[in-house]
Amino acid sequence: MGDDLGDEWWKHEDKSDASEVEEETENEKIPAEKTKTKPEKRKRVTEKPVKAKKKKNNEQKEETLPPRKETENEQSAKPKKRRKKKKTITDVLTTSEPKPGCPADLQDLATQYFKDKRSVIEQEELRVQDSFFLSSNDLTHTLASYLKQIAPKWAKIQKQHTEKSSAVLLIVCSSALRTIELIKQLTSFKGEAKAVKLFAKHIKIEEQVKLLQKGIIHIGVGTPGRISALIDREGLSLQALRYLVLDWNWRDQKLRRMVDIPEIKQDLMKLLESGVLARCKEDKVKIGLF
């Protein structure tokens, strides 16, 4: 008992107090740790709104898309400015009166065509002179009346013609159908003369060469492409040729003349170059524009 009483009682109190302080510090540490975890929760909470913002942004973008589509639709709905179409030959001719062809038309055409394709010397040789031409159709003639005007002595000329593979009169047009029409119009002019069709759809060129070599023909009517091909194959000679008539003023459904069609124009220039202009220089062939 004395030992117990002799102990320093205040020291025990200090120990108890210290233990209590330690407990309090431990208790304080625990909430401190808990408080440390709270910011993590806050971070998580703060992250969630960010995701929500992204969604909102996406929603806002989706909401903004329809107006853009509407603007595009509005733009497409607006009338677009139309480009001015280039006037075609048909457009020009429907609003203008037809003019009869004249020698200057063919001269200019030949000059422009050979300008970039032949040398200066060759261009001079291929120049179409005024003396090469007969009188032109003033749009008042039929084919028969025009031929009677340029060949008044036709009855005598056709009787004197005896050469094979050569025609006295060649009429050049743009198509097979036009060829048939022109042959029908020759009835009151040709008399006893024989007229033949010279175009690709009628007969093969080999067979036509053989037929021309066998018989005598007076008038040939056809396209420049087939006539040039026959000359190249020596199926048709220019030896007896005296008149070359171009179906110049006639127009097709699109109101195009023969020389307005690029392929026909090229074939016509080839025909003139194949010996016709040389015969014109010798004053043996004359050109008429019907």
Side-chain angles (χ1 to χ4, degrees):
M1 292 294 288
D3 294 335
D4 294 333
L5 292 169
D7 292 335
E8 295 177 354
W9 55 271
W10 62 85
K11 292 181 180 179
H12 292 288
E13 289 177 356
D14 293 335
K15 288 179 180 178
S16 64
D17 293 333
S19 63
E20 288 176 1
V21 170
E22 287 176 359
E23 288 176 0
E24 288 175 359
T25 56
E26 286 176 359
N27 291 328
E28 288 174 358
K29 287 179 182 178
I30 290 167
E33 290 175 357
K34 290 181 180 179
T35 55
K36 287 180 182 177
T37 57
K38 285 181 181 178
E40 293 178 0
K41 290 181 180 179
R42 287 177 184 174
K43 287 181 182 178
R44 291 176 185 175
V45 172
T46 54
E47 288 175 1
K48 288 180 181 178
V50 171
K51 291 181 181 178
K53 286 180 182 179
K54 288 181 180 178
K55 289 181 180 179
K56 287 181 180 179
N57 291 332
N58 292 330
E59 290 176 1
Q60 288 176 357
K61 289 180 180 178
E62 291 175 0
E63 290 176 359
T64 55
L65 285 175
R68 288 180 185 173
K69 288 182 180 178
E70 289 177 2
T71 54
E72 289 175 0
N73 292 331
E74 288 175 0
Q75 289 178 358
S76 62
K78 289 180 180 179
K80 295 181 180 179
K81 292 182 180 180
R82 294 183 179 179
R83 292 182 180 179
K84 291 182 179 180
K85 292 183 179 180
K86 292 182 179 179
K87 288 186 177 181
T88 61
I89 296 170
T90 306
D91 296 333
V92 174
L93 292 174
T94 50
T95 57
S96 61
E97 294 181 0
K99 295 180 180 180
C102 62
D105 294 335
L106 181 58
Q107 289 170 333
D108 293 340
L109 181 70
T111 301
Q112 292 297 323
Y113 181 82
F114 293 120
K115 184 177 180 181
D116 300 327
K117 297 177 178 62
R118 300 292 183 270
S119 65
V120 177
I121 297 172
E122 288 174 335
Q123 288 179 41
E124 184 61 28
E125 291 177 354
L126 295 170
R127 188 168 64 88
V128 182
Q129 300 174 14
D130 294 337
S131 59
F132 295 177
F133 290 93
L134 297 162
S135 60
S136 300
N137 179 21
D138 58 0
L139 302 181
T140 61
H141 284 285
T142 63
L143 179 60
S145 65
Y146 176 70
L147 293 177
K148 288 176 181 178
Q149 178 183 332
I150 64 171
K153 297 180 180 180
W154 175 251
K156 183 179 179 181
I157 292 170
Q158 70 167 356
K159 289 179 180 179
Q160 293 176 347
H161 175 62
T162 57
E163 294 184 28
K164 295 180 180 180
S165 301
S166 186
V168 178
L169 168 64
L170 284 178
I171 302 173
V172 183
C173 58
S174 59
S175 66
L177 290 175
R178 181 60 178 166
T179 298
I180 296 170
E181 289 178 8
L182 291 174
I183 286 179
K184 290 179 181 178
Q185 295 178 26
L186 287 171
T187 305
S188 61
F189 167 78
K190 69 176 183 178
E192 297 178 358
K194 183 179 180 181
V196 294
K197 296 173 281 188
L198 305 175
F199 57 84
K201 294 180 181 179
H202 173 57
I203 191 173
K204 291 181 179 180
I205 190 166
E206 293 82 5
E207 296 177 5
Q208 196 159 45
V209 169
K210 292 178 182 178
L211 291 174
L212 292 173
Q213 290 173 348
K214 289 180 181 178
I216 297 173
I217 61 169
H218 301 87
I219 304 171
V221 186
T223 58
R226 174 49 71 94
I227 294 171
S228 297
L230 289 169
I231 293 171
D232 291 341
R233 299 198 180 201
E234 298 182 353
L236 183 65
S237 172
L238 300 177
Q239 191 65 32
L241 183 64
R242 297 184 65 171
Y243 306 101
L244 178 72
V245 175
L246 305 181
D247 189 26
W248 189 271
N249 297 302
W250 183 82
R251 299 180 186 276
D252 61 10
Q253 292 179 349
K254 295 181 179 180
L255 300 179
R256 298 176 300 177
R257 299 173 302 173
M258 176 174 64
V259 292
D260 294 327
I261 303 170
E263 298 82 4
I264 302 298
K265 180 175 70 174
Q266 184 176 355
D267 291 339
L268 177 60
M269 294 297 106
K270 184 180 177 182
L271 174 60
L272 295 177
E273 193 179 6
S274 65
V276 172
L277 293 179
R279 298 279 294 174
C280 289
K281 281 186 177 181
E282 297 171 359
D283 200 25
K284 295 181 177 179
V285 175
K286 295 291 183 181
I287 299 173
L289 303 180
F290 171 63

